[in-house]
Amino acid sequence: MKHFIFLLFLSVSNLTSFAQLKLARLFSDHVVLQRQKPIPVWGWANPGENVKVALSNQIQTIQANANGKWVVKFSAMEAGGPYSMQVSTNTNKIEVKDILIGEVWLLSGQSNMEWTVKQAKNFKEEQKNANFPQIRHFFVEHEVTIQPQADLKSGNWQISSAQTVGDFSAIGFFFARELHQKLNIPIGLLHASWGGSQIEGWISKEAMLTNDELKNYANNLPNNWAEADSFHDKNVRKKLFGSDFQPSTADEKKYTEPNYDFSKWVNTESPLGQWDWKGIWAFRGKGYMARTIEISDEMSKQETTLGLGVQDSFNEIYINGNMIAAGVFKGNRKITIPVNTWKAGNNQLIIKFGSRLDPSWYGLGLEGTNEDLYVSSSSERINIAKDWKLMPSFAEKHEYVHSSNNIGTTIFNGMVAPLIPFSIRGTLWYQGESNASRAYQYRQSFPLMINDWRKQWGEDFSFYFVQLSSFGANQDSNQGSNWAELREAQVMTLNLPKTGMAVTIDVGNENDIHPTNKQDVAKRLAATALKNDYFQDVLPSGPLYQSAKFEKDKAIITFKFAGNGLIAKDKYGYLKGFEIAGEDKVFYYTKAEIIGDKVIITHPKGQKPLAVRYAWSDAPIEANLFNSIGFPASPFRTDSWKSMTFGQKFE
């Protein structure tokens, strides 16, 4: 019996030791390791334990530190494989199989980088051309943490095939395919992105502390999620009320009273969709939605139907201060309103929502279509799909989902820190839509993040990014454009060494923030990499503004990356998208003509020009200046007049 107990003790001890030997999750079967650079490999064992690591014909021995962590660094290797790696201690052994040596690119940003191949155009055709066993993809699961993490909780390397490619980053896969077909070497895609994320979530606390505008924020970061929720709650209330006002139950009871003034609540063009995307980020609890509805005298005397879309929480519905319905209304809600409930003229409709039931994670907001939101009678129908006001309930129990934009630095902590120092060739970045309202500050925050990551890795790796595409309005320069200013901040970031930019205003969709043409985006990123990293004789960019010269009523603009000459991509052969302004600072669309690598613009009023702008709108769909290989020119301005986003700060 004693012998059995002793053997059982040994078995348990061995299991304990077994649990202590671990590789960082990135080092799993099918991993791609960076060629031509030293290869760091790390993991954990028992403190003080000797660890032996073998890769190909290289062997390293290391002792785990007091925390159990160990790191070895193998000498650089050329492209090839497959190899295996063995990691062992006296009591345990791990083997990683099917390792390739090639080129590794980190993919990051927000939803347009996260957009998958199955969401891109021509998926069925792309799926047929996806069997590339030397292209591998690792998706980093969404994670936000208050403190930097040592390792990822999940994830594995997927080999590109018709069965797997649908879940790959579209831009990442099309980029990898372009490189693989040109270079004939393995490509690894390390994919860490998050839709809707702001850049401040991707910057470390250490970097923020070096920046005058962000260091105060970094000095006041919460130490735990309870503090973080309180911090975020205060910011949301400050945004909604203009101060740190905390409504009481008595304050919120007034919301449903007749003639309550809800004009200062949050505006929303449409009540459909989560409130997360309407300026009330990550809030989970109860809330109010209000609208003024004009009812005719005839309609007020009839029984009506109120259509309120789909929302399965407990609702209370008030018209002019009177509760006319309460309960959980399943499906597409059509509520009967008795005669004489409405009055002729303006009426106040206020809905109080409880917490969402299914799915509970969804939060506040309606589902359905615009046609599902209406007031109707036997003779009239009024659509109420626009112009609503929103207000969460702060007096009642509420909480916040721990998501991407609650607190700065937390995406870096959870999704970037565990990747360091995995060797990479460079980074591809597609982000900025969520920072457009603070475009002027992006001039600082974007290069700060790039320098931060390079410092964290200890290497000035290549960093290539996608300029914002076309989405929204095609306003002129007199109206101004947040998105144009964000694009300008991206262009300014090209002053950093080893950076490059893909211009994409021609392949966007003014009606959809997620254009499906990711193939051309990836091709342009690949051209930059092929030129700068792989030394191929290709033009790496579309035309970039270089200089301006003003003579009489004309401006002469010179461009870099014109190739064999500039072209107007238009069946009529003339340029569009140029504006010019004189001393009055009023911009006019005007005639422009191409001469070699220059564009000449004439002021239509004969004034001496002081400024030229090109494609200066959210969605410059008419802009048509390209270079000889068909890459579009970047939007630009020659002036430095005050930006409309100047002074907008991250808080």
Side-chain angles (χ1 to χ4, degrees):
M1 183 67 179
K2 288 182 180 179
H3 181 67
F4 171 76
I5 293 173
F6 177 72
L7 288 177
L8 180 63
F9 172 77
L10 284 180
S11 298
V12 172
S13 298
N14 284 337
L15 285 172
T16 302
S17 297
F18 179 86
Q20 293 300 320
L21 182 61
K22 175 186 171 185
L23 270 168
R25 187 168 289 274
L26 290 174
F27 301 101
S28 57
D29 290 351
H30 318 305
V31 62
V32 181
L33 302 175
Q34 178 61 47
R35 67 169 181 159
Q36 300 172 342
K37 291 185 179 183
I39 302 171
V41 177
W42 68 95
W44 295 266
N46 291 315
E49 192 171 24
N50 289 324
V51 181
K52 180 181 177 182
V53 189
L55 173 63
S56 184
N57 59 355
Q58 299 187 57
I59 298 175
Q60 300 273 356
T61 303
I62 189 75
Q63 188 178 65
N65 67 18
N67 296 317
K69 186 172 183 178
W70 52 266
V71 182
V72 298
K73 187 173 286 187
F74 290 104
S75 298
M77 300 172 64
E78 290 299 324
Y83 300 102
S84 63
M85 179 165 59
Q86 294 78 33
V87 184
S88 59
T89 63
N90 288 333
T91 55
N92 194 20
K93 182 177 181 180
I94 299 172
E95 183 173 21
V96 181
K97 301 176 181 177
D98 189 30
I99 298 171
L100 298 181
I101 309 297
E103 291 294 292
V104 181
W105 287 86
L106 172 61
L107 317 174
S108 194
Q110 57 182 108
S111 54
N112 273 306
M113 181 60 80
E114 194 170 10
W115 210 247
T116 61
V117 175
K118 66 187 175 189
Q119 294 170 298
K121 73 171 187 177
N122 300 331
F123 170 56
K124 294 299 182 183
E125 289 302 311
E126 298 294 2
Q127 193 176 30
K128 296 175 184 176
N129 188 27
N131 290 315
F132 292 95
Q134 291 196 331
I135 295 177
R136 281 99 187 270
H137 180 275
F138 187 106
F139 178 70
V140 177
E141 293 288 346
H142 293 171
E143 178 80 9
V144 284
T145 60
I146 300 297
Q147 301 297 332
Q149 298 300 292
D151 198 15
L152 302 171
K153 294 179 180 178
S154 62
N156 56 78
W157 288 91
Q158 293 288 323
I159 298 173
S160 177
S161 69
Q163 291 71 41
T164 63
V165 75
D167 292 325
F168 285 21
S169 160
I171 286 176
F173 171 71
F174 298 134
F175 173 88
R177 188 173 66 187
E178 188 82 6
L179 262 57
H180 179 64
Q181 291 177 329
K182 294 281 196 308
L183 305 174
N184 195 31
I185 57 175
I187 307 293
L189 301 170
L190 182 52
H191 179 198
S193 63
W194 195 330
S197 59
Q198 301 168 1
I199 196 171
E200 292 84 3
W202 296 97
I203 303 173
S204 74
K205 178 179 178 179
E206 291 76 14
M208 282 193 176
L209 289 170
T210 68
N211 181 269
D212 289 341
E213 291 195 9
L214 294 174
K215 66 181 179 182
N216 183 62
Y217 181 92
N219 278 322
N220 291 284
L221 282 169
N223 296 307
N224 53 59
W225 278 115
E227 288 183 17
D229 290 347
S230 176
F231 184 92
H232 185 59
D233 190 70
K234 181 178 179 180
N235 279 347
V236 173
R237 285 185 281 110
K238 184 177 179 181
K239 181 177 180 180
L240 298 185
F241 300 118
S243 65
D244 187 17
F245 174 62
Q246 175 67 66
S248 66
T249 302
D251 291 325
E252 294 188 352
K253 190 175 181 180
K254 296 176 183 177
Y255 293 172
T256 58
E257 292 178 355
N259 301 314
Y260 178 79
D261 180 11
F262 51 73
S263 62
K264 295 183 180 179
W265 288 8
V266 177
N267 288 311
T268 182
E269 177 67 15
S270 169
L272 299 174
Q274 289 179 271
W275 286 17
D276 290 355
W277 307 108
K278 301 177 187 297
I280 306 172
W281 182 258
F283 181 92
R284 297 296 182 267
K286 299 178 180 180
Y288 300 82
M289 189 169 77
R291 190 186 194 279
T292 299
I293 303 174
E294 187 175 357
I295 301 291
S296 69
D297 181 62
E298 180 184 0
M299 195 177 205
S300 70
K301 297 172 183 176
Q302 298 176 332
E303 182 180 277
T304 58
T305 300
L306 176 62
L308 289 178
V310 179
Q311 220 277 358
D312 71 353
S313 73
F314 185 88
N315 281 193
E316 296 174 2
I317 301 167
Y318 296 82
I319 296 176
N320 299 323
N322 299 309
M323 187 168 73
I324 55 94
V328 176
F329 304 91
K330 294 283 188 178
N332 200 332
R333 300 176 299 167
K334 300 175 183 178
I335 298 163
T336 300
I337 308 299
V339 174
N340 295 324
T341 302
W342 303 103
K343 64 182 181 181
N346 287 335
N347 294 258
Q348 286 190 330
L349 171 63
I350 296 180
I351 306 165
K352 182 179 180 181
F353 297 108
S355 297
R356 184 69 180 262
L357 301 177
D358 184 24
S360 59
W361 56 263
Y362 189 86
L364 295 168
L366 298 180
E367 293 180 89
T369 68
N370 287 343
E371 288 68 36
D372 298 326
L373 301 169
Y374 61 88
V375 179
S376 69
S377 67
S378 59
S379 58
E380 294 181 60
R381 182 183 177 96
I382 302 170
N383 186 273
I384 57 171
K386 294 184 178 181
D387 301 323
W388 287 83
K389 300 280 189 175
L390 312 176
M391 179 57 67
S393 171
F394 293 101
E396 298 192 61
K397 181 181 178 181
H398 61 281
E399 60 187 8
Y400 290 94
V401 175
H402 298 157
S403 192
S404 58
N405 295 329
N406 299 41
I407 304 295
T409 77
T410 54
I411 312 177
F412 173 87
N413 293 340
M415 295 177 63
V416 179
L419 312 182
I420 302 168
F422 194 83
S423 186
I424 59 175
R425 176 65 66 190
T427 295
L428 304 182
W429 175 261
Y430 194 158
Q431 190 274 341
E433 296 93 337
S434 293
N435 279 83
S437 63
R438 300 191 300 279
Y440 192 85
Q441 193 178 44
Y442 204 78
R443 297 178 180 191
Q444 291 191 47
S445 54
F446 189 27
L448 177 68
M449 190 206 74
I450 295 172
N451 286 329
D452 178 27
W453 288 17
R454 287 173 169 176
K455 182 178 179 181
Q456 298 280 349
W457 259 270
E459 180 190 1
D460 287 341
F461 50 69
S462 298
F463 198 104
Y464 305 139
F465 49 92
V466 181
Q467 190 183 57
L468 289 191
S469 194
S470 293
F471 172 71
N474 187 18
Q475 68 274 64
D476 60 30
S477 290
N478 298 313
Q479 297 168 294
S481 165
N482 290 351
W483 280 49
E485 291 186 8
L486 197 289
R487 295 185 192 107
E488 180 180 45
Q490 292 174 313
V491 172
M492 290 178 171
T493 304
L494 292 172
N495 290 324
L496 291 182
K498 299 181 71 174
T499 55
M501 182 180 74
V503 180
T504 64
I505 56 172
D506 62 317
V507 292
N509 184 338
E510 67 269 28
N511 298 313
D512 191 341
I513 203 169
H514 302 120
T516 59
N517 181 355
K518 304 303 187 196
Q519 290 88 339
D520 281 323
V521 179
K523 183 177 181 180
R524 293 167 192 179
L525 287 169
T528 305
L530 288 168
K531 175 69 173 180
N532 298 336
D533 296 279
Y534 307 114
F535 314 110
Q536 296 204 359
D537 186 19
V538 297
L539 197 60
S541 172
L544 288 178
Y545 164 72
Q546 186 170 31
S547 64
K549 183 179 179 181
F550 300 100
E551 295 180 350
K552 296 181 180 179
D553 62 344
K554 291 180 171 53
I556 303 170
I557 309 297
T558 303
F559 294 87
K560 297 185 290 184
F561 305 119
N564 294 324
L566 302 171
I567 61 171
K569 197 172 182 182
D570 183 279
K571 65 181 180 179
Y572 300 110
Y574 59 83
L575 287 176
K576 299 176 183 177
F578 280 91
E579 298 173 272
I580 196 165
E583 290 183 358
D584 58 3
K585 294 188 177 181
V586 176
F587 282 91
Y588 299 90
Y589 286 109
T590 188
K591 177 183 177 182
E593 59 181 331
I594 297 170
I595 299 179
D597 63 350
K598 296 178 175 60
V599 171
I600 299 177
I601 307 104
T602 304
H603 197 295
K605 303 288 186 181
Q607 296 180 23
K608 180 179 179 180
L610 293 182
V612 170
R613 295 185 180 182
Y614 171 71
W616 201 261
S617 75
D618 294 357
I621 55 176
E622 294 181 348
N624 64 341
L625 179 62
F626 288 71
N627 62 16
S628 57
I629 65 166
F631 283 5
S634 170
F636 70 90
R637 62 172 175 163
T638 65
D639 63 275
S640 57
W641 298 340
K642 187 175 180 180
S643 299
M644 63 187 298
T645 59
F646 179 82
Q648 299 299 312
K649 305 289 180 70
F650 175 70
E651 295 180 327

